[in-house]
Every structure is written in C-alpha cells, then in structure tokens.
Amino acid sequence: MSRTTIIPIGPQHPAFLEPLNVSLELKEERVVGATLNLGYNHRGMEHALSLDYKKSQYLVERVCGICSNHHSAAYCQTVEAIYGVEVPERARIIRTITMECQRITSHLLALGHIAEVVGYENLFMQCFRERELVMRLVNEITGNRVHYSTNVIGGVKRDIDAAMERRIEDVMSDLRPRLEELHAIFSRDSTFVKRTKGIGKLTREQAIDWCVVGPVARASGVAQDVREDGFAAYDRVRLRPVVREEGDCYARTMVRMDECLRSVDLIEECLPLLKEGSVVLSVKGHPSGEGISRVEAPRGELMYYVKAIGKLQLDRVKIRTPAFVNVPAVQAMLPGARLADVPVITVSLDPCICCTDR
Amino acid sequence: MGLLDRIGVRSPWILHFDTGSCNGCDLEVWALLTPRYDVERFGGVNRANPKQADILLITGPVTKKCEDRLRNLYEQVPEPKLVMACGNCASTGAPFHNCYNVCQGVDKVIPVDVYVPGCAARPEALIDGLIKALSMWEEKARAAREVKG
Ligand code: SF4
C-alpha cells in the first residue's frame, strides 16, 4: 500500500500560460485527487467596470484578451437592452463577423496549445501560422489585433466597405484549405490521437453536473449553444452546432477544429447579408434599470448582468465567464489519469485564468 | 570582438511570467515565437525555468497574490539578469489603474530594464524591446566576464 504524494504545479509552470496552481494528489503515477488554487489573476474588474459605463465599453475588453470582442459585445448588448434600443442590422452583422473571426483565432490558439503539450511543436507552429492570417485580417477590419475596440453602445465604430468585404472573402477562401489540412492532421495523426483518445473523460452526466459550457459541453454530448438564441445576426445564418459524444481530450479538440470551419462558413454567409445602412445608433442620457445578456464566447456561454442607476457609475456589473465554470471541471477529469497526461487534460479544457479570476 | 568574447556569448534564455494580465500581451508574446515573427533568430530561446533564465519577460499588472511569486522568481534568476515589462499594464498598470488588487506595474515590485508600450503591445514593438534587451544583456554579460577576468 503506497502513500499518496502531493505535487503542487504552478503558478509559474511551462505547461500553463497563466498563473494557476493545481495540487495533485498522486498514488504512484496515478492521480487520485486535484485541488485548484485560483485568484492569481484577480484584478477586481467587476468593480473597475462599474465606475464609468462609457469607459467600460473599452475596459471590458481587458477582462480577457482572447475573447475580448465577445466581452464587449455582451456588455454593449446588456446596456442596449437597458436603453431598450435595437442596434442597426448592419452593425449586428459586423459584430457577428468580428466575433466569428475571434472564435477562429481563439480556437486555433487552443489547438496550437494542445499540440504543443502533446509534444508536437511543428503542429503548434502550423496552427499559429494560420492564425496569423486572421489576426492580420482583423487588424485591417478594426485597426487592432487583440482588443478590437469596435463595439460601442448602439452599434460598431468602424464600417466594412466593399473593398474590405472582398478582402474578407479572399482571406476566408485562403483559410479554408489550410484549416482542412489542419483538420486532417488532428484527426489522423497517430501520435496526437494516441495521446488524446480516451484521456480525461467527462461523461454526459458529469458534464451536466459540473455545468460545463461551450466546446467542453458539446464534446460530452450536451448540445448547447447560445448562438441558437439568435443574438447579433445569428438568427439570420444557418447554425450547425458541432456535438460529439466521447467526452475525451480528442473530442474536445475536434469540436474546436470543426467549429473553426463552421466559423468560416458563418463569415461567408454573413457577407452577402450586409445591406446599406448606418452602423451606429446614438443613445441619449444615462442608462437606468437592469439588463442581462448572453453571448457564445469561444469557450462557451458568457453572461453579463448590469444594474444602472441613471448615473455615470453603475450599481453592479456581474460577469459569468465560461472558463469560470469549465476550469473546476478539471477536478472531475483528473482522478484516475496518469501524471504525464495532466497537462494534456488541463489544456484540453482551454482554461482561461484571466476570465476565471477577472 | 576577440575569439574568447565570441565563444563566451551565449543565447539568453527567456522566462515568461504572467502576473495577472488579460492575456492580450501573452498572445502576442506567443505569436513572436511562431513562423511569422520568429524571434529565435535573434538568439533568445523561451524556457520556463527561472534558474536557467537570463531575461525575465513579464506581462500584466502585478496582482497582490502574484507579488511575492514575482519577487521569488526574480531572486531565483542568476546574475546578469534583465527584466522586460510588456504592455501598458506591466509598465504602469494603466488599464487597471487604481484597481484594488493590483500593484500598478512591475517596477513597483522589481527593477525593470525595458518597457514595451501598447495595449496590447504589438509584435513589432515587442521585437524592438527584445532586441534592446538582448543588447543590454550582452553588455551586462560582458561586463560580468571582465570583472571575473
Ligand atoms: S497591456 Fe493591455 S493587452 Fe496587455 S496584458 Fe495589459 S491589459 Fe492586456
């Protein structure tokens, strides 16, 4: 009978990009328990966001740099709901396009990261090479690479002109075969498949119990996607959520890979919908009342609650980020795993500590 | 440069630590390692071990919980060492100014040699900063060798 050993990993560790501390309880090579220690990234965003609702349009992107545009879209939608205004159609389509672009960059980052932790550095580089295409496109559309700062209360700041529409089309048709090539590698490469298939299983029941969202839930057979609610312009396009049943690291990776391709479809579907019109609506006075809004961020459902009191300050901003519910589920996946698989399992969740801690 | 000097020049190893950033700058730091920008051609290699690191690359305003960890890491890095603060928030704490849980920039905790502005810092700016850091580090390393004789 061997004793259990406790191994702390983090906050600074090669496998994690972000400060996160996991205490693993080990029996020989097997993990029998895991405890998470979070909070290294807590900056007090909810408090900072409630100081000035206008500045918060931009500050809100600094909650998380990977899904910044989704944060600002969710925040703007919430405040628009408080004002009771309907955003112009064109602005909603532009928001959809930028959100889908960001989904591709975020998923390619996650895919590259998992390729790196299974030891496939070449694939990591390839993911990032394709990702750079979208980063550059977004830079052209919005003027920024990371924090787009295009969403404002009432619409978007920058329009997409005809030349830009063609440019988006070109990039998407260039990107599609590259993504298909990546898809073939991820689905067929024997090293990758062996390292991820059957590892870190999360059953459907567990997924529901731990309330996971986004690709993690969809990889465990829970068909749940907030885009089906039809915020922004998602009611105008044909959504086909990717759902898999296996619930292991492989399934989570493949869900992300498939979603990248679906995002390209969505962007291409959005472009012909763009009709002449204004992209921003001016709102008057300070907001007053309560609002709630949800978007599907790359990692899952992102919810904002705002309580405004007719002043520059807000009474309360509450954010429920997808990583906040997904990260604890690692405690359900780790027991029974081998020590060498721990980084793969953790990264397959696509943890985002800056979202979790805020 | 004499032969001995040239033999003595090593590739500095870089240690990246996130002290509470929004990940925006981390993404760009990662993008630097990839084919488009590929900073390894300048001689810096990203390794995650403080005991073997030469350049400490910090992103994010230092949160109160990370403060001690950052100091701890800094002390572990052997001399000659160099600290590079990437992004507005690592340089000054800017977007998170006056947040209750941040220390307003890396230089409030440990000495910083190179500041890279931008939110998020652009890869071009980061490369510029890194080249500055590399040349400063080489000078420091040479000075240290000369003292040793
Ligand atoms: S400088 Fe801006 S982008 Fe960079 S980590 Fe800080 S808030 Fe994020």
Side-chain angles (χ1 to χ4, degrees):
Chain A
M1 185 65 211
S2 54
R3 280 185 298 138
T4 58
T5 326
I6 296 195
I7 299 189
I9 302 182
Q12 191 271 334
H13 188 268
F16 307 141
L17 271 181
E18 300 168 277
L20 150 78
N21 175 275
V22 192
S23 294
L24 293 176
E25 216 176 295
L26 292 179
K27 229 176 210 162
E28 308 263 313
E29 277 287 297
R30 292 266 170 205
V31 181
V32 289
T35 323
L36 278 175
N37 175 5
L38 296 165
Y40 292 97
N41 222 326
H42 179 68
R43 291 148 284 163
M45 288 305 283
E46 289 181 359
H47 172 71
L49 285 172
S50 62
L51 294 179
D52 182 336
Y53 78 92
K54 283 185 185 159
K55 287 183 186 163
S56 293
Q57 296 172 70
Y58 307 106
L59 184 60
V60 76
E61 302 198 309
R62 273 77 184 172
V63 175
C64 171
I66 310 181
C67 44
S68 56
N69 196 47
H70 292 86
H71 276 277
S72 72
Y75 174 77
C76 291
Q77 276 182 22
T78 318
V79 181
E80 282 150 11
I82 297 176
Y83 276 118
V85 292
E86 187 74 15
V87 178
E89 181 80 38
R90 195 175 168 87
R92 295 169 53 155
I93 296 170
I94 295 177
R95 273 187 193 174
T96 312
I97 294 174
T98 47
M99 275 197 260
E100 287 307 315
C101 284
Q102 192 155 50
R103 191 182 316 280
I104 300 177
T105 61
S106 168
H107 280 351
L108 282 178
L109 175 92
L111 292 169
H113 198 181
I114 196 158
E116 209 209 353
V117 294
V118 304
Y120 201 156
E121 184 133 358
N122 197 348
L123 190 55
F124 159 71
M125 293 289 178
Q126 197 174 343
C127 290
F128 268 68
R129 189 184 69 196
E130 323 308 12
R131 182 172 172 271
E132 208 41 51
L133 279 181
V134 190
M135 295 292 273
R136 298 203 149 217
L137 174 70
V138 167
N139 193 6
E140 286 170 43
I141 303 177
T142 66
N144 291 300
R145 284 168 57 95
V146 175
H147 298 305
Y148 305 166
S149 306
T150 48
N151 295 333
V152 289
I153 297 167
V156 293
K157 267 197 324 200
R158 268 212 197 185
D159 202 354
I160 293 181
D161 57 11
M164 187 53 75
E165 271 177 51
R166 273 199 305 283
R167 175 92 181 102
I168 299 176
E169 246 165 47
D170 289 348
V171 173
M172 288 304 137
S173 52
D174 183 17
L175 189 66
R176 186 188 295 277
R178 290 164 179 258
L179 290 179
E180 275 161 2
E181 195 189 327
L182 275 181
H183 190 281
I185 302 176
F186 273 111
S187 54
R188 282 198 236 116
D189 183 85
S190 59
T191 321
F192 184 79
V193 173
K194 276 197 189 121
R195 281 295 310 266
T196 51
K197 248 203 177 132
I199 307 286
K201 255 195 184 316
L202 189 74
T203 60
R204 191 165 192 277
E205 289 68 42
Q206 278 175 319
I208 294 169
D209 265 1
W210 285 83
C211 304
V212 293
V213 291
V216 180
R218 291 198 283 276
S220 294
V222 184
Q224 164 236 58
D225 191 329
V226 184
R227 283 178 287 178
E228 283 171 340
D229 286 6
F231 63 91
Y234 286 109
D235 48 349
R236 309 270 313 270
V237 290
R238 215 158 41 95
L239 277 175
R240 291 170 298 150
V242 187
V243 183
R244 290 181 82 106
E245 300 296 330
E246 305 99 302
D248 53 6
C249 293
Y250 179 75
R252 287 191 279 279
T253 311
M254 290 319 288
V255 166
R256 291 198 187 98
M257 192 66 244
D258 284 328
E259 282 186 3
C260 284
L261 284 161
R262 296 280 158 90
S263 294
V264 175
D265 292 342
L266 289 180
I267 294 172
E268 281 175 349
E269 260 183 69
C270 277
L271 285 174
L273 295 178
L274 282 169
K275 297 270 155 30
E276 282 302 302
S278 73
V279 290
V280 67
L281 187 100
S282 66
V283 286
K284 292 208 177 60
H286 296 318
S288 168
E290 287 176 292
I292 181 170
S293 173
R294 303 189 301 164
V295 304
E296 179 79 14
R299 287 168 187 71
E301 176 201 46
L302 169 66
M303 192 206 84
Y304 266 72
Y305 164 81
V306 172
K307 185 172 180 203
I309 41 174
K311 287 198 231 156
L312 207 54
Q313 292 89 0
L314 298 169
D315 199 35
R316 178 88 172 96
V317 178
K318 162 81 190 139
I319 315 172
R320 186 199 191 246
T321 57
F324 182 72
V325 277
N326 282 350
V327 171
V330 78
Q331 294 167 345
M333 296 177 190
L334 284 182
R338 286 179 182 276
L339 180 58
D341 287 329
V342 171
V344 180
I345 296 173
T346 328
V347 170
S348 78
L349 270 176
D350 199 4
C352 176
I353 306 306
C354 54
C355 271
T356 314
D357 293 345
R358 295 187 292 277
Chain B
M1 203 195 279
L3 181 64
L4 264 183
D5 270 342
R6 247 182 298 160
I7 296 172
V9 173
R10 298 174 295 155
S11 292
W13 284 18
I14 298 169
L15 171 75
H16 169 217
F17 185 48
D18 170 352
T19 53
S21 83
C22 79
N23 265 353
C25 287
D26 302 74
L27 289 181
E28 299 296 52
V29 168
W30 264 46
L32 282 189
L33 304 174
T34 56
R36 183 62 150 205
Y37 299 102
D38 188 21
V39 292
E40 284 187 15
R41 67 200 149 111
F42 299 118
V45 190
N46 187 20
R47 287 289 178 274
N49 189 338
K51 294 261 169 167
Q52 298 168 347
D54 301 294
I55 297 180
L56 201 53
L57 200 151
I58 313 286
T59 49
V62 187
T63 59
K64 297 257 158 83
K65 194 165 174 177
C66 272
E67 195 182 346
D68 288 341
R69 273 83 185 174
L70 177 61
R71 222 173 264 133
N72 186 338
L73 270 182
Y74 180 75
E75 278 156 14
Q76 287 182 54
V77 178
E79 289 285 352
K81 57 190 161 194
L82 216 107
V83 179
M84 186 173 156
C86 299
N88 282 355
C89 64
S91 304
T92 63
F96 311 115
H97 193 66
N98 280 350
C99 280
Y100 56 81
N101 203 34
V102 303
C103 312
Q104 321 293 344
V106 178
D107 54 4
K108 297 278 182 305
V109 184
I110 57 173
V112 176
D113 302 272
V114 180
Y115 298 87
V116 180
C119 181
R122 292 209 166 231
E124 294 82 4
L126 283 170
I127 291 180
D128 202 30
L130 199 64
I131 290 176
K132 280 218 174 75
L134 288 178
S135 58
M136 282 168 80
W137 178 81
E138 260 164 31
E139 240 158 64
K140 268 196 183 182
R142 193 171 312 128
R145 273 202 305 278
E146 271 158 21
V147 170
K148 257 193 239 152

